[in-house]
Amino acid sequence: MKKIVSILLFFAIISIVTMGGSSNPYSGKYITSNNTILELNSTGKCKVINNFYKDVFYTYGQYTISDNEIEIIFDKDKRNYLNVESLKGKVKGSNIVFYDYIQEGKECVYSKIE
């Protein structure tokens, strides 16, 4: 009986360690001042939710982050409400900053929601 309990405990500890080590620190929800939401999941997929009209619009894509540089490439087979093929920006602490995709010379800051 003790042997079975110790084996189960061993596998429980191993599964906790492997799950904790593979988490993505960038995944989560980010929001702008105009209530646009950027959702990054841990598998490299993302969703942008536009709330500035009467309806809600979703844009889907995939993201990569390397050396605090983020690039989002939007799915070509789905509707893209941002009217851009990709976004490039920088991760600065708990914020992601994108440049020049809404208005020329403006930056768009997404802040992480805790």
Side-chain angles (χ1 to χ4, degrees), residues 48-97:
V48 178
I49 305 168
N50 296 337
N51 292 323
F52 28 79
Y53 300 109
K54 290 180 180 178
D55 293 324
V56 177
F57 301 105
Y58 297 88
T59 304
Y60 298 91
Q62 305 222 352
Y63 74 95
T64 56
I65 298 177
S66 177
D67 295 327
N68 288 337
E69 302 272 332
I70 184 170
E71 181 176 17
I72 297 176
I73 299 174
F74 294 108
D75 294 343
K76 294 182 183 199
D77 60 338
K78 296 182 180 165
R79 180 80 175 150
N80 183 341
Y81 293 98
L82 294 178
N83 296 321
V84 293
E85 289 183 20
S86 66
L87 292 176
K88 291 184 180 181
K90 289 192 174 268
V91 178
K92 298 180 178 180
S94 62
N95 294 329
I96 299 176
V97 180

Side-chain angles (χ1 to χ4, degrees), residues 4-20:
I4 293 173
V5 171
S6 60
I7 291 172
L8 290 175
L9 185 61
F10 174 74
F11 283 116
I13 291 172
I14 294 297
S15 66
I16 290 171
V17 169
T18 57
M19 286 180 2

